């Protein structure tokens, strides 16, 4: 039990900080869909587990950058059922990564991802399974988008269908020479269902999104840059070199303590997603987690000049 007034104040402040952190974490994890939407996640997961193959691998580097690999190169890294479930597991792992600052998503074998595995999709083509898969992937990709990490999709080769949608769940896209992003859904008699349309409109605007979806056009690095869909065209399309380039690009934004980088991403997420008053209140809460924190106190001692 705290005895002095100072100890009580410190204990109160710690409790407040903890509650704020828990509330922010809870908001981030909150799923878009649950039982109230007719969504039965456990049932869907059982079905997805029947479509095996490939893997989603996560390597957490000491510098706070996570490397997430879509690994099913035989099928151009198409998402099998087990890969969908694994992606959800990796996102949970990333949500709990205290030292994380950044994330790079890329595909094995010099290509990004060709969407969902058409073999699985065929077997799940009834409307209830389709809706459940759509809700499952929207939940996962929304959580991915809201991770307190600065995320980059490294697009080599092709990002097609659901693969194109996945790139839009990242904060940034970097493309290698000769690569393409293509929303082919129209040619499959579909529209995006993994949240890709909603996110694309926010990235490139309504007009350009309409053109890309209705034209199912191949977007090369030059057009992607022009549209603001990609940040930069890397110089190498070699897997190892492109990954090094992407890491170097990302490091300019991830330098500094994890607590501060994570707070930066959280205020931007709030600004992107919430009405302005709610975003301001969230910003205040997040500010409270860094104000008077170790990085802030050290900076006050150092008194750096920002010339
Ligand atoms: C909401 C998401 C949405 C949904 O399903 O609901 C989607 O994701 S829709 C989009 C689904 N994806 C596709 O329709 C892609 C179909 N594939 C292709 O167009 C091409 O394969 C392409 C452009 C990705 C790559 O072409 P490339 O010439 O470079 O390679 P191959 O065609 O020879 O492909 C090698 C090998 O991979 C198999 N493959 C590729 N993508 C898929 C896929 N999505 N599912 C299953 N299998 C896939 C392809 O059939 C080849 O295998 P093979 O045994 O040699 O025929």
């Amino acid at each position: 039990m705290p005895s002095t007034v100072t100890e009580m104040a410190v204990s109160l402040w710690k409790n407040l900080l903890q509650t704020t952190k828990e509330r922010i974490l809870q908001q981030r994890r909150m799923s878009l869909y649950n039982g109230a939407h007719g969504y039965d996640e456990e049932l869907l997961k059982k079905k997805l587990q029947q479509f095996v193959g490939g893997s989603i691998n996560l390597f957490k580097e000491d510098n706070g950058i996570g490397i997430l690999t879509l690994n099913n190169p035989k099928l151009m890294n198409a998402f099998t059922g087990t890969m969908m479930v694994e992606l959800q597991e990796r996102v949970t792992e990333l949500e709990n990564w205290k030292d994380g600052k950044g994330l790079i998503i890329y595909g094995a074998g010099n290509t990004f991802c060709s969407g969902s595995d058409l073999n699985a999709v065929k077997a799940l083509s009834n409307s209830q399974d389709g809706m459940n898969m759509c809700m499952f992937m929207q939940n996962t990709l929304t959580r991915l988008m809201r991770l307190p990490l600065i995320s980059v999709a490294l697009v080599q080769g092709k990002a097609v269908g659901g693969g194109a949608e996945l790139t839009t769940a990242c904060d940034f896209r970097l493309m290698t020479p000769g690569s393409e992003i293509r929303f082919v859904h129209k040619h499959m008699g579909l529209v995006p269902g993994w949240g890709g349309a909603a996110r694309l409109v926010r990235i490139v605007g309504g007009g350009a999104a309409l053109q890309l979806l209705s034209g199912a056009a191949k977007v090369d690095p030059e057009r992607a840059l022009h549209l603001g869909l990609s940040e930069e065209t890397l110089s190498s399309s070699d897997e190892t070199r492109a990954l090094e380039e992407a890491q170097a690009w990302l490091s300019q934004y991830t330098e500094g303590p994890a607590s501060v980088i994570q707070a930066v991403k959280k205020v931007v997420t709030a600004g992107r997603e919430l009405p302005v008053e709610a975003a301001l209140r969230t910003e205040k809460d997040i500010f409270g987690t860094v104000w008077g924190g170790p990085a802030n106190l050290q900076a006050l001692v150092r008194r750096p000049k920002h010339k």
Side-chain angles (χ1 to χ4, degrees), residues 229-244:
L229 184 58
S230 162
E231 299 309 308
E232 201 166 299
T233 306
L234 302 179
S235 65
S236 177
S237 40
D238 168 76
E239 187 169 310
T240 312
R241 298 241 302 276
L243 194 53
E244 281 167 7

Side-chain angles (χ1 to χ4, degrees), residues 6-298:
T6 319
E7 281 171 349
M8 275 172 66
V10 170
S11 158
L12 249 168
W13 186 78
K14 278 187 179 162
N15 280 345
L16 187 72
L17 202 67
Q18 189 56 25
T19 320
T20 305
K21 278 185 176 163
E22 276 163 17
R23 190 154 53 84
I24 293 167
L25 198 66
Q26 208 178 5
Q27 276 172 353
R28 228 174 45 226
R29 283 188 181 151
M30 215 156 53
S31 288
L32 280 175
Y33 304 109
N34 51 44
H37 304 95
Y39 171 54
D40 185 343
E41 181 167 304
E42 287 317 306
L43 183 69
L44 178 78
K45 273 173 135 177
K46 274 196 194 126
K47 289 196 179 178
L48 290 176
Q49 300 281 12
Q50 295 167 19
F51 303 98
V52 297
S55 60
I56 305 286
N57 306 329
L58 174 62
F59 181 71
K60 292 188 273 184
E61 295 192 339
D62 291 343
N63 62 4
I65 299 204
I67 310 286
L68 191 88
T69 314
L70 315 172
N71 186 22
N72 191 12
K74 266 196 302 196
L75 301 186
M76 311 296 283
N77 300 320
F79 266 86
T80 60
T82 49
M83 284 169 73
M84 291 182 192
V85 175
E86 279 185 35
L87 180 66
Q88 186 198 48
E89 289 165 0
R90 299 292 97 83
V91 168
T92 304
E93 200 178 334
L94 287 164
E95 283 171 341
N96 293 315
W97 190 19
K98 298 258 179 313
D99 302 324
K101 299 196 266 184
L103 178 69
I104 296 175
I105 304 185
Y106 84 110
N110 263 314
T111 194
F112 189 74
C113 171
S114 63
S116 45
D117 175 358
L118 295 172
N119 308 303
V121 167
K122 205 168 160 196
L124 296 172
S125 62
N126 71 72
S127 123
Q128 197 191 354
D129 285 341
M131 293 308 285
N132 276 326
M133 188 193 55
C134 162
M135 289 190 271
F136 182 83
M137 288 304 286
Q138 280 198 14
N139 274 349
T140 304
L141 293 188
T142 302
R143 286 171 57 194
L144 173 69
M145 181 179 74
R146 290 177 179 163
L147 284 173
L149 310 172
I150 301 176
S151 57
V152 170
L154 166 56
V155 182
Q156 308 154 267
K158 290 169 179 158
V160 174
E165 295 193 63
L166 171 57
T167 71
T168 64
C170 293
D171 298 312
F172 303 110
R173 284 144 295 281
L174 298 175
M175 295 177 75
T176 61
S179 63
E180 66 184 52
I181 298 178
R182 190 170 183 196
F183 294 84
V184 295
H185 305 74
K186 183 182 94 163
H187 293 322
M188 299 298 292
L190 291 172
V191 293
W194 295 1
R199 292 187 297 268
L200 185 65
V201 169
R202 282 160 178 76
I203 296 168
V204 300
L210 191 56
Q211 286 178 336
L212 297 187
L213 297 181
S214 61
K218 283 185 191 176
V219 185
D220 64 18
E222 197 185 343
R223 186 166 180 203
L225 266 183
H226 175 73
L227 289 172
L229 184 58
S230 162
E231 299 309 308
E232 201 166 299
T233 306
L234 302 179
S235 65
S236 177
S237 40
D238 168 76
E239 187 169 310
T240 312
R241 298 241 302 276
L243 194 53
E244 281 167 7
E245 279 189 66
Q247 280 175 299
W249 185 89
L250 181 56
S251 68
Q252 63 187 313
Y253 303 111
T254 53
E255 211 173 281
S259 55
V260 179
I261 309 299
Q262 293 196 6
V264 170
K265 172 68 188 280
K266 286 176 200 167
V267 291
V268 171
T269 299
R272 261 184 202 156
E273 293 195 18
L274 299 173
V276 70
E277 288 188 5
L280 289 169
R281 278 192 286 270
T282 304
E283 185 172 311
K284 182 261 299 166
D285 288 346
I286 293 164
F287 177 76
T289 67
V290 285
W291 174 261
N296 178 222
L297 295 179
Q298 282 164 20

